[in-house]
Amino acid sequence: MLQCGKGKQDTFAGHKAGLRGAAATALVFRVSIVENGGKEKPLGREQMAEDKKAEMEAILRRQREAFTAARPESLSARRDRIKRAIALLVDHGDELARAMSADFGNRSHEATMLTDITSTIGFGKYCLKHMDKWAKPEKRSTRFPLGLFGAKAELRYEPKGVVGILSPWNFPINLSLGPLMQIMAAGNRAMIKPSEFTEKTSELTAELVAKYFAEEEVAVITGSPEVAAAFSSLQFDHLLFTGSTATGRKVMEAAGRNLVPVTLELGGKSPVFLGRSANFEQAGERIAMGKMLNAGQICLAPDYMYVPEDKEQTAVDSVRQAAHNMYPTILDNDDYTSVVTDRHFDRLQTMVADARDKGAEVIEVNPANEDFSSTNARKMPLTILRNVNDDMMAMQEEIFGPVLPVKTYKNVDEAIAYVNENDRPLGLYYFGSDAGEREQVLQRTISGGVTVNDVIMHISMDDLPFGGVGPSGIGSYHGPEGFKEFSHARSVYTQPKMDIAKLAGLKPPFGNTTRKNIAREMKKA
Ligand code: NAD
């Protein structure tokens, strides 16, 4: 979904036109109005979103009132909320995983337990362990010589109030209840609008959150993209959005109208650099694992691979072999996740067809020679593309599926230049043991984060901030930085009893002291 100077377009713009099937019917026709003459007319989604906006504003008002009344929000109250969120996940993790699988068509139960349930529990525990330290006020220095007279400067991390969370479908729990842990650690209340594409999971999340939390603490609002748009126009104290770059722009515009600060966790094309010194067999395994997890529907998925020209065959063979070993069959293999909707599936098929038409070699990794055309399971095997160029959709958009283009370089400088010509990616991966080359790649490129000798893994380091840069995101959470992101850093300066203004010549009428002080400061560094 990169929009760069070369006419690149938004991958996800197309699928936001609306809900499909039963979900759309339920939302569009649930409410109707009676017109003159007694004829019933269904309310449109815009009208429903307007109605829902009033409901959301009322929840926001109640949350802010409760927040204000409860200040100072004690650390024990915050801890209790995080523990309740953890209990929700422990008690209902399996149920949530089943809902996610139903939403996707099939989603590996174990993979869901790892990526959405246990990782979110782990992050909650990490917050519990560190929040006392994060919340401590910091002593800062005062300007000389004020400290000598008893002046004090202190920084307090205070809660912001009510934080909105707009989350996507690809990791529906990790990306909603995950940030919630740190938002609550910072002492905030939260309203969550999960994705309309994972409707069953969103409904279950709403039900469970209502069971474990008072509405004044945490509330979940479900609904269409129009409801999401209305949600992004609420007067929150902070708004966290995770999703596509195109929607991120709209969210930032809507939040900007109210001067609501935002954290935007977006996407992009995360490159893999395979250095000549890489262990190709191991790299192939790790790349295939990262690319096929959640069927490639991961913001940090290795998007394309850049390999030395003379090692291309070895690189392709190693990824292919690893995919083979992990998924000997695909169609009936519960370990392998489906593409989330027909529309997303069709988009990936179009992307592969477009690459083939424009001259790419298409390698489908289909170890058991299964017939994918005769099923509607939306399972797609790993598809490697060779001989790609920038005219192909696959090199213009974030892929977000199990398609892996391979580019080649004679000299790693070419790969560095290519990455720098395009939008700054969310992740960047380097494989190799050549420390000089590794540093050359890291120091001459910019990306949200980096994993060396693997892919994606930096996101699972709770203590490292996670976020993008420019088109791949603004701000970050996880680590101590996440606590700060959801806090207001409030400066508190305490003036000593002594008349400092007079002493420093700040108070008119100005005289020699003032002039001397100015002269003392007017020196080059
Ligand atoms: P999306 O942008 O289509 O939707 C995300 C959320 O935005 C959904 O909840 C949706 O209801 C809401 N939304 C839709 N229209 C809106 C509008 N006009 N105003 C406000 N909100 C609106 O993204 P998606 O398809 O759900 O997720 C895929 C994208 O998310 C990919 O680009 C991926 O890279 C990115 N992503 C990023 C991260 C990260 O942490 N950086 C994580 C996961 C996914």
Side-chain angles (χ1 to χ4, degrees), residues 4 22 216 218 231 263 286 343 370 383 399 417 429 477 502:
C4 72
E216 292 76 31
V218 187
F231 185 91
T263 304
R286 294 176 180 185
R343 192 181 311 166
E370 291 166 283
T383 306
I399 289 174
Y429 309 117
Y477 66 97
K502 187 169 173 212

Side-chain angles (χ1 to χ4, degrees), residues 6-170:
K6 297 188 199 159
K8 300 193 172 184
Q9 330 152 356
D10 178 2
T11 317
F12 293 94
H15 77 230
K16 286 188 286 292
L19 287 176
R20 306 163 67 251
T25 314
L27 275 166
V28 176
F29 296 108
R30 200 158 47 199
V31 183
S32 60
I33 51 169
V34 180
E35 287 187 321
N36 285 345
K39 247 173 105 185
E40 277 216 350
K41 181 174 173 268
L43 276 184
R45 288 198 340 211
E46 272 85 9
Q47 180 58 50
M48 288 184 65
E50 270 306 302
D51 294 350
K52 209 139 190 177
K53 186 169 180 188
E55 203 184 299
M56 293 188 289
E57 278 168 340
I59 297 173
L60 173 56
R61 208 167 31 248
R62 288 197 291 276
Q63 285 207 354
R64 195 173 283 117
E65 278 165 14
F67 167 79
T68 308
R71 294 224 42 220
E73 199 75 80
S74 71
L75 283 164
S76 61
R78 304 178 196 191
R79 262 194 296 274
D80 171 57
R81 287 185 193 128
I82 296 173
K83 284 180 183 166
R84 274 185 275 148
I86 292 174
L88 180 162
L89 291 166
V90 171
D91 297 345
H92 299 280
D94 280 312
E95 205 182 331
L96 283 162
R98 281 195 294 276
M100 280 178 255
S101 188
D103 281 326
F104 273 73
N106 178 64
R107 197 175 193 245
S108 157
H109 188 80
E110 286 76 12
T112 299
M113 291 306 288
L114 292 170
T115 59
D116 275 274
I117 307 299
T118 58
S119 59
T120 311
I121 292 172
F123 186 57
K125 291 180 180 167
Y126 164 78
C127 290
L128 285 175
K129 187 168 170 197
H130 296 280
M131 54 190 279
D132 288 8
K133 183 177 63 200
W134 295 335
K136 278 211 170 86
E138 291 171 19
K139 216 174 150 201
R140 295 292 172 100
S141 57
T142 53
R143 287 191 67 163
F144 182 79
L146 296 172
L148 299 178
F149 303 115
K152 285 195 181 78
E154 175 183 90
L155 189 58
R156 296 182 185 183
Y157 291 105
E158 298 190 344
K160 291 189 162 196
V162 182
V163 180
I165 303 173
L166 263 166
S167 56
W169 52 266
N170 64 330

